[in-house]
Amino acid sequence: MTNASAARPLRVAIIGAGPAGVYAADILTKSNEVKDGDFEVSIDLFDQYPAPYGLIRYGVAPDHPRIKGIVNALHKVLDRGDIRFIGNVTYGRDVTLSDFRHFYDAVIFATGAIKDAELEIPGADLEGSFGGADFVSWYDGHPDVPRDWPLDAKEVAVLGNGNVALDVARMLSKHADDLLVTEIPDNVYQVLKRSPVTDVHVFGRRGPAQVKFTPLELRELSHSRDVDIVLYPEDFEFDEASDEAIRTNNQVKTMVNTLANWIAEDQDTGASRRLHLHFLHSPVEIYDSPGTPGHVAGIRFERMELDGTGNVHGTGEFEDYPVQAVYRAIGYHGSELAELEYDARRGVIPNDGGRVLDEEGTAVPGVYTTGWIKRGPVGLIGHTKGDALETIGCLLEDRDSLPPAENPDEHAIMKLLEERGVEFTTWAGWNELDAHEKSLGEKFTAESGEKGTAVQRERVKVVPREDMVRISRKPKG
């Protein structure tokens, strides 16, 4: 460690309190070097939202069965007291990289990816064409998106064959009353309740053996009440690569078998809503009509066929589907960050194993990155842990040469935020908000379903940022 910081804890700032940031903090505190007493570490975990958990709070469907387990794991890490959470602080506006480098020896960016990847086809900007990530943010009660959503389509197309596409399709097709047991805000419930949707179509470019979702997410589709799953035998094409994947990959085998069983069982029960799964469809145009100029009236696809390697090529055959809304769930894209280089094509911060690079490709001393803003929006939670382990490994290797903070006092950053009028939140404040949301759930009673059964909610999510901040910062006593 540098002489200037040898007699004090290493000061580390992590920007982003989602899984990537929390895992990085946890791995650093549990590293052998820290446990063996080689040095001490002091970590501040910042987030632009008043609450922690990032994409777990604002990017996963509320009825997802894994949410509670992931949140509990992240809560345990932050509740230990050795990592300080500082929320409602926006990087590039409230604080700059120069500020962080003044107060910390190392800075780790774990800001994730929250924008929709672009779909470059004609009509993608028509009214009624939505980004899947934007819709997820809305139904998850993101504080910075509108409270309303135009759910006025009877027939909807969802583009993508990943877990986000399935989440979007499930939320669009599921009956609102069946979501009352989740933490969805009241405004989301009310809009979903009024939705006239009858048919939701999910389209993927490749075949059933090449889908990117996972078995759990696929099986969740069959758990929705009064929603039929519709599949099309002509879409079930397999080439040599598909057969090999089915033989050698248990996950692929499970998903293909699930889909095949659904076809064999005939899922048509006469439900009021239908969720259609289409494969080998590549979108080429979203179009309007003379009756609805400027608004989505349908979407055109080219039929694809597998080429033997698991990839596809066009057949020259086209199909039109009349829909009144299109949701583009083809992936996330990272956002540019002030004072850092940015790879616009990949949506990441250029880096070498987590070491942030400047425009010449040289590592910037003391600046690191992890998670989706480091490697792109791919992989599951397990990948995020491994990714954080690599980044923290680089930081540990560099710790003797890190540029020391000019003012490492733990109180200095808080004083700066107060001087700038930033209404930051803390872990104690999150516990207040957490308890408040749970109390809203305890107070909620509604009549749901044909039998009028009472619904008890575990929590109801608070949406407005000002309310989140007010509750988190309310005077004690």
Side-chain angles (χ1 to χ4, degrees):
M1 193 179 305
T2 58
N3 292 333
S5 58
R8 61 169 175 79
L10 184 75
R11 292 281 286 143
V12 178
I14 300 177
I15 296 88
V22 175
Y23 291 145
D26 189 40
I27 290 169
L28 180 55
T29 60
K30 292 179 178 177
S31 65
N32 290 332
E33 291 84 347
V34 172
K35 289 193 300 183
D36 293 343
D38 292 352
F39 71 100
E40 296 180 16
V41 65
S42 170
I43 302 173
D44 287 342
L45 185 65
F46 293 84
D47 203 276
Q48 65 177 317
Y49 308 124
Y53 308 144
L55 203 63
I56 297 302
R57 182 173 169 93
Y58 294 123
V60 182
D63 62 344
H64 197 296
R66 291 180 181 171
I67 288 180
K68 186 178 295 185
I70 297 171
V71 167
N72 287 344
L74 299 178
H75 180 92
K76 288 179 181 178
V77 173
L78 295 180
D79 203 44
R80 293 195 311 248
D82 56 348
I83 300 165
R84 186 167 61 174
F85 170 72
I86 306 173
N88 202 39
V89 177
T90 300
Y91 172 76
R93 184 192 68 190
D94 300 326
V95 288
T96 66
L97 179 58
S98 300
D99 292 328
F100 279 123
R101 301 196 73 173
H102 182 76
F103 297 113
Y104 299 90
D105 305 299
V107 184
I108 302 174
F109 287 88
T111 52
I114 60 174
K115 295 193 307 182
D116 282 288
E118 292 186 5
L119 176 66
E120 297 182 353
I121 64 172
D125 58 350
L126 286 174
E127 185 179 351
S129 174
F130 306 104
D134 291 337
F135 183 58
V136 172
S137 293
W138 172 76
Y139 67 59
D140 271 333
H142 193 293
D144 298 334
V145 301
R147 302 289 183 265
D148 205 358
W149 191 273
L151 286 183
D152 51 12
K154 289 187 175 181
E155 300 161 301
V156 179
V158 179
L159 308 182
N161 259 176
N163 288 336
V164 175
L166 291 192
D167 280 353
V168 168
R170 194 175 65 256
M171 290 294 292
L172 286 167
S173 60
K174 203 165 188 174
H175 290 276
D177 285 348
D178 296 332
L179 290 164
L180 280 174
V181 294
T182 75
E183 61 183 27
I184 63 167
D186 185 63
N187 66 293
V188 175
Y189 168 72
Q190 295 297 337
V191 174
L192 290 174
K193 181 75 172 176
R194 298 192 299 268
S195 173
V197 69
T198 59
D199 292 84
V200 177
H201 299 262
V202 182
F203 295 94
R205 290 186 68 253
R206 298 200 288 173
Q210 287 79 40
V211 294
K212 297 299 184 181
F213 41 74
T214 50
L216 177 63
E217 281 70 21
L218 177 62
R219 287 194 293 264
E220 282 182 42
L221 297 183
S222 64
H223 299 160
S224 295
R225 178 185 62 85
D226 192 35
V227 179
D228 281 342
I229 298 174
V230 183
L231 298 116
Y232 300 85
E234 62 269 25
D235 289 348
F236 280 73
E237 176 183 314
F238 301 95
D239 60 359
E240 294 87 344
S242 301
D243 293 337
E244 178 66 16
I246 294 169
R247 285 195 303 269
T248 61
N249 188 308
N250 286 333
Q251 179 167 298
V252 173
K253 180 179 179 180
T254 297
M255 288 190 291
V256 170
N257 286 343
T258 297
L259 293 167
N261 289 337
W262 285 348
I263 289 181
E265 293 169 0
D266 186 5
Q267 298 291 304
D268 184 3
T269 68
S272 66
R273 294 179 176 179
R274 292 165 293 279
L275 200 164
H276 307 253
L277 298 180
H278 304 268
F279 305 100
L280 299 170
H281 283 68
S282 181
V284 296
E285 180 187 5
I286 302 171
Y287 56 86
D288 58 4
S289 70
T292 57
H295 193 286
V296 172
I299 182 168
R300 178 167 297 139
F301 294 89
E302 182 176 11
R303 288 304 307 251
M304 312 300 284
E305 62 182 7
L306 294 163
D307 65 2
T309 69
N311 293 313
V312 293
H313 58 76
T315 65
E317 299 176 3
F318 297 87
E319 294 183 18
D320 289 358
Y321 290 82
V323 296
Q324 299 82 52
V326 175
Y327 287 78
R328 310 179 306 274
I330 58 173
Y332 285 86
H333 200 74
S335 301
E336 186 172 4
L337 295 169
E339 301 182 73
L340 297 176
E341 288 299 306
Y342 177 65
D343 183 337
R345 182 182 65 82
R346 298 179 57 217
V348 300
I349 299 171
N351 68 92
D352 180 9
R355 294 183 177 96
V356 170
L357 304 177
D358 61 19
E359 60 182 349
E360 281 82 30
T362 303
V364 180
V367 184
Y368 304 86
T369 185
T370 191
W372 280 4
I373 196 63
K374 168 188 174 184
R375 59 183 164 84
V378 294
L380 303 174
I381 294 296
H383 298 91
T384 302
K385 290 182 178 179
D387 192 49
L389 187 64
E390 179 186 49
T391 294
I392 295 303
C394 291
L395 189 155
L396 291 172
E397 289 177 7
D398 300 342
R399 72 183 188 277
D400 289 336
S401 59
L402 294 174
E406 294 181 33
N407 186 355
D409 188 311
E410 292 185 359
H411 301 291
I413 184 66
M414 313 301 272
K415 183 178 179 181
L416 176 71
L417 293 173
E418 290 172 350
E419 290 174 349
R420 292 180 177 176
V422 179
E423 293 186 303
F424 62 87
T425 59
T426 64
W427 182 246
W430 160 247
N431 284 328
E432 290 289 333
L433 179 58
D434 185 38
H436 178 79
E437 291 186 341
K438 289 177 179 177
S439 73
L440 293 178
E442 292 172 357
K443 295 174 183 176
F444 181 93
T445 301
E447 298 300 318
S448 175
E450 295 178 359
K451 297 181 180 180
T453 55
V455 174
Q456 182 61 57
R457 306 188 66 182
E458 183 175 346
R459 70 189 303 131
V460 178
K461 189 179 288 183
V462 173
V463 179
R465 181 184 287 264
E466 58 272 20
D467 289 347
M468 296 175 69
V469 172
R470 174 181 53 80
I471 296 165
S472 299
R473 291 171 57 90
K474 68 180 181 182
K476 303 300 185 291

